Amino acid sequence: MDSKTVFEKSRPGRAGVAVPNYWGADDNAGSAGIPEAMRRAKAPALPELSECDVTRHYVGLSQKNFSVDTQFYPLGSCTMKFNPRINEKVAALPGFAGCHPLAPASMCQGSLQLMYELQQYLAEITGMDAVTLQPAAGAHGEVTALFMISRYFHDKGEPRTKVIVPDSSHGTNPASAALAGFQVVTIASAPDGSVDLEALKASLDGSVACLMLTNPSTLGLFESKIEAITELVHGVGGLVYYDGANMNALMGLVRPGDMGFDLVHLNMHKTFSTPHGGGGPGAGPVGARGELVDYLPGPVVRQGDKGYELTAMPHTIGRVRLFWGSFAVLAKAYAYIRSLGASGLRQASEMAALAANYMRVRLHERYHVPYDTFCMHEFVLSADRMKAEKGVHAVDIAKALLDRGFHAPTIYFPLIVEEALMIEPTETESLETLDAFVDALLEIADEEAETLHSCPLNFSVSHLDETKAARKPVLQWPEA
Ligand SMILES: *Cc1c(COP(=O)(O)O)cnc(C)c1O
């Protein structure tokens, strides 16, 4: 496939659609009615191509896209599961898609009912008392919850300043804490990858507002001491926040609320099957328990005398997003939950863990698995031994997978694993696909270092200098 831009393909005078005599006899006559001062001095530098050229160019670009609809996408931490088409159909129903967010509640009862029921389902799945659907993504949910926590302690007359995160946490956790004005305290993980209780104890005092934790951790491991952890934080009057990005491991099996968490976010675009990977939109609903419920951002949907209505909580931190949040994403999550049902959600999580463990066990003789124990929905390999033996890095393995038709796993994260390759298969893949991916990794393990260093070989671009590609991108644009 060629990699020329539309500007390079442009030929003077070539046109897709020709409007008869649009410019008139001369250029000026064509600008009829446009005041002289507002007219361009010269024609814009637009590419000139036929409709056929344009169609092939853009269809060609779309085929360069990697997507879960075309190939296996085991990007750890991102839950790139297949998104059933029924979700799209439901979100596109005219009553939902055409509903104006400023229309009176009496005219949007169906949409409000969907949001109300989704709030209830998410509260039930997480063990929280109430949920807001407003935030636009996981990270937005985190910062929303931290604003709530900040206001909560302010109202109690206890200005707490610290937020604790484990060193295995997702980068958004410390970033959100800093954005909400907290001082971030990072604690080292125990040798088995879990939260180190002694390190946690040492960091706890009356200035701690919150511990942010994902369970299972980014290593794919369930924190078996979770109740002791949440009790320790509550013991100094702090709160515990659940980063629910890994909820795909636990649906219907165990609830963050029952583990002692006070606030959670969920990623609709991960666990609840909204397409993602190319940016937005997503949704990161936030759930809360007890007194914290009063601080949720609005509007929240409740059942009133005249049906479903939008309402603000008594101590709400205000709005975090316009209108109703990402409504279409919420409709997809609703369709997904309703089509699976409670037992289906549980089965999805069980299958996700089964798939990850199956792959881990097939790979652990040939690849180093630093935390080689029963995992949840994902697991982490390390290329550290291959690096020492023959100079092969995680990134080389990732590139070699591209050549074999697979999306690369997440690499170099979590930060506590050297040369990490983080694999999350999800429940939606067949045994044949899991085997094909494992076979590809086993084949790569036997390749010569020299070959791996030159991968990918089957693309329009080869082994790029990624830093340069990100910092000094070549954005071709003709001279104006
Ligand atoms: C994806 C992810 C986030 C952030 O969620 P976004 O929706 O991408 O903002 C936070 N924590 C973990 C563990 C994640 O995997």
Side-chain angles (χ1 to χ4, degrees), residues 29-30 50 74 112 164 212 229 231 252 261 271 279 302 332 335 386 431 440 443 445 476:
S50 73
L112 292 176
I164 303 175
M212 299 179 83
I229 294 169
E231 262 171 44
F261 286 92
T271 314
R302 71 166 178 203
K332 288 174 208 184
M386 287 190 190
L431 184 58
E443 188 183 287
Q476 293 190 24

Side-chain angles (χ1 to χ4, degrees), residues 409-421:
T410 297
I411 55 173
Y412 300 105
F413 180 79
L415 302 175
I416 57 173
V417 175
E418 198 196 339
E419 295 292 332
L421 290 138

